[in-house]
Each structure stands twice: as structure tokens, then as C-alpha cells.
């Protein structure tokens, strides 16, 4: 069974440009999460989808970040326009049950904003 | 504010040398505490869930314990393949399901 896949694995963009990160969760997992790790800091929650609905987006830094989950399957996270402080590793995770803390993570998308 | 603090930041052991990692937490009602392992270039990999003080979980050379203020991850007779960053996270008892993470402990086991 395929795990959580993320694309791209690494993206380097200029400040002001747009980047879209994609996450394909494990098939059948209704819960999809985005987390981010900035260098030297702990992993931070961004948002949580249940199927196609945003359950909790309290961790989204500002309105330059837009997350979508089409038809309750894959999800995209768009950063527009990117700023230097957006650099970090963006992790996607999925889970079958809402109340579990057992999340299945992808390998992450490393974003570098120059 | 919910917070997780892990110590030490880094630990180097000889193969077979047992030790413990610490995770101290403050949370407004604990739903669960989680241990994950992360290898370089990979995402975190789930190890254990602990729900209440006194609970213990074991998996191979790892054993996790929980009190009302902290959790320990005991590593018995570690092997080089146990080298990784070990992350602790908590989930509060509110309506959200987000995990609050510590910075992790980087463990290196020398052969």
C-alpha cells in the first residue's frame, strides 16, 4: 500500500513568487494534516482537513497561504507571494481515525525562498 | 499555552549502552502523548501513544512511560540502527486534533 506522497521534494523560489505543494494521502484516510518545520524550531501545525472540509486552520500563518483538498482526496498548499520566512520543510500527514495521534507522514517538501 | 520540552537535545551512546530520553509537557488537559522517530530526510514515523499517567508501551528495545508531567523513552541495549531523532508530541483534550511538538532528541549509537 502506498504511503503519503508529497511533491515536490524540494523547491527553490525567489521572494514574491508562487509555489504550490501537493500531498497525496493514504487511500481511504479522511483526515489530512499539514505541518511545517522551520530550521531550528519545532514542527508546527498548519491545518487539518476532514475529507474536503477544513476542520481546523488555526495554524495557517497568514492569508498568503491557501490550502485546498479537492474531492476529499489529494491536497495542495499554495504560498503566494512567498516570503523569506516561509522557508522550511512542509510535512503532510494522514490518518484514518479522527481521534488518533498516529499520523502517517510524507517525506516532506523542502521550500527555500531566496 | 501548551508546550513540550525534550532533553537532552543530543545524545551519543555506545552500542549496548542503555539510556532514557525525557519529554516534559504542559497542556490544558491531555488527550494523548505521542512518540515519533525521524530519520534524516524522512517524515516522522509513529512509535507510541500514551493516554494516562502510569501507562507504559514497549516495542523492541524501546519502552515509553508517562507521568502527569513528563514521559520517558527508555532505550535498552541500543543498536546503531536506533540512531535517529526522537520526537515527542501532545494533543490536548479540546476540539482540535493538532499535535504540539518538542524539538526532539538526536540520538547517535556508535558500534
Amino acid at each position: 500500500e502506498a504511503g503519503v506522497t508529497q511533491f515536490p521534494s524540494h523547491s527553490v523560489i525567489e521572494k514574491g513568487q508562487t509555489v504550490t505543494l501537493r500531498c497525496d494521502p493514504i487511500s481511504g484516510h479522511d483526515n489530512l494534516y499539514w505541518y511545517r518545520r522551520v530550521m531550528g524550531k519545532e514542527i508546527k501545525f498548519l491545518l487539518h482537513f476532514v475529507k474536503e472540509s477544513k476542520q481546523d486552520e488555526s495554524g495557517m500563518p497568514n492569508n498568503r497561504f491557501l490550502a485546498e483538498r479537492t474531492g476529499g482526496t489529494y491536497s495542495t498548499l499554495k504560498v503566494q507571494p512567498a516570503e523569506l520566512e516561509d522557508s522550511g520543510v512542509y510535512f503532510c500527514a494522514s490518518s484514518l481515525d479522527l481521534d488518533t495521534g498516529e499520523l502517517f507522514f510524507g517525506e516532506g517538501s523542502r521550500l527555500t525562498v531566496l | 499555552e501548551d508546550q513540550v520540552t525534550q532533553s537532552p537535545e543530543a545524545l551519543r551512546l555506545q552500542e549496548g549502552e542503555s539510556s532514557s530520553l525525557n519529554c516534559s509537557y504542559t497542556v490544558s488537559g491531555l488527550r494523548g502523548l505521542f512518540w515519533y522517530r525521524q530519520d534524516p530526510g524522512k517524515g516522522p514515523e509513529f512509535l507510541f501513544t500514551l493516554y494516562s499517567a502510569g501507562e507504559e508501551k514497549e516495542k523492541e528495545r524501546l519502552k515509553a512511560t508517562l507521568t502527569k508531567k513528563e514521559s520517558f523513552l527508555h532505550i535498552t541495549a541500543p543498536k546503531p540502527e536506533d540512531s535517529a531523532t526522537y520526537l515527542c508530541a501532545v494533543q490536548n483534550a479540546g476540539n482540535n486534533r493538532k499535535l504540539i511538538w518538542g524539538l526532539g532528541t538526536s540520538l547517535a549509537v556508535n558500534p
Side-chain angles (χ1 to χ4, degrees), chain B residues 4 6 23 30 32-36 87-91 99-102:
Chain B
V4 175
Q6 292 189 244
C23 170
L30 181 70
L33 183 143
F34 311 93
W35 283 98
Y36 280 78
L87 295 161
C88 174
V90 297
Q91 193 178 60
L99 297 183
I100 298 123
W101 297 82

Side-chain angles (χ1 to χ4, degrees), chain B residues 56-73:
Chain B
E56 298 183 353
K57 292 277 180 72
E58 283 190 69
K59 180 180 179 180
E60 296 181 356
R61 295 175 292 283
L62 301 177
K63 179 172 144 180
T65 62
L66 180 65
T67 72
K68 288 186 177 180
K69 294 184 178 181
E70 59 191 350
S71 175
F72 292 93
L73 185 65

Side-chain angles (χ1 to χ4, degrees), chain A residues 33 35 37 40-45 48 56 58 91 98-103 105-107, chain B residues 31 34 36 38 41-44 46 49 51 87 91 95-99 101-104:
Chain A
Y33 302 82
Y35 284 84
R37 185 162 197 172
K41 305 274 190 177
E42 62 276 3
I43 298 172
K44 290 277 196 184
F45 169 83
H48 170 206
D56 179 1
S58 62
F91 290 105
L98 177 63
D99 288 326
T100 181
E102 182 179 352
L103 305 185
F105 280 82
E107 294 193 345
Chain B
R31 179 186 297 275
F34 311 93
Y36 280 78
Q38 186 175 21
K42 304 287 187 181
F46 173 79
T49 305
Y51 291 107
L87 295 161
Q91 193 178 60
N95 291 326
N96 66 71
R97 295 295 183 269
K98 66 181 179 184
L99 297 183
W101 297 82
L103 280 169

Side-chain angles (χ1 to χ4, degrees), chain A:
Chain A
E1 180 181 314
V4 176
T5 56
Q6 294 187 245
F7 182 84
S9 58
H10 193 187
S11 181
V12 181
I13 61 173
E14 299 279 339
K15 175 183 172 181
Q17 290 185 321
T18 297
V19 65
T20 300
L21 310 178
R22 173 172 169 142
C23 169
D24 287 79
I26 293 173
S27 177
H29 282 196
D30 287 341
N31 295 280
L32 187 149
Y33 302 82
W34 284 97
Y35 284 84
R36 175 175 74 173
R37 185 162 197 172
V38 172
M39 187 178 294
K41 305 274 190 177
E42 62 276 3
I43 298 172
K44 290 277 196 184
F45 169 83
L46 295 178
L47 87 159
H48 170 206
F49 283 100
V50 177
K51 296 184 179 180
E52 67 275 8
S53 300
K54 292 177 186 175
Q55 184 80 3
D56 179 1
E57 52 184 331
S58 62
M60 294 288 264
N62 49 60
N63 59 10
R64 295 186 293 103
F65 289 74
L66 176 64
E68 295 179 325
R69 188 176 183 193
T70 306
T73 55
Y74 70 92
S75 175
T76 57
L77 180 64
K78 183 162 73 174
V79 184
Q80 178 183 31
E83 298 289 345
L84 298 180
E85 62 266 25
D86 300 333
S87 296
V89 181
Y90 290 77
F91 290 105
C92 176
S94 71
S95 71
L96 187 60
D97 297 324
L98 177 63
D99 288 326
T100 181
E102 182 179 352
L103 305 185
F104 295 84
F105 280 82
E107 294 193 345
S109 291
R110 179 176 296 277
L111 174 63
T112 302
V113 183
L114 302 176

Side-chain angles (χ1 to χ4, degrees), chain B residues 11-20 61-62 74-83 107-111:
Chain B
L11 182 63
R12 186 175 294 274
L13 300 173
Q14 288 299 123
E15 184 171 2
E17 180 187 2
S18 301
S19 189
S20 296
R61 295 175 292 283
L62 301 177
H74 307 277
I75 304 176
T76 302
K79 298 182 177 182
E81 54 262 40
D82 294 322
S83 298
L107 174 66
V109 181
N110 297 324

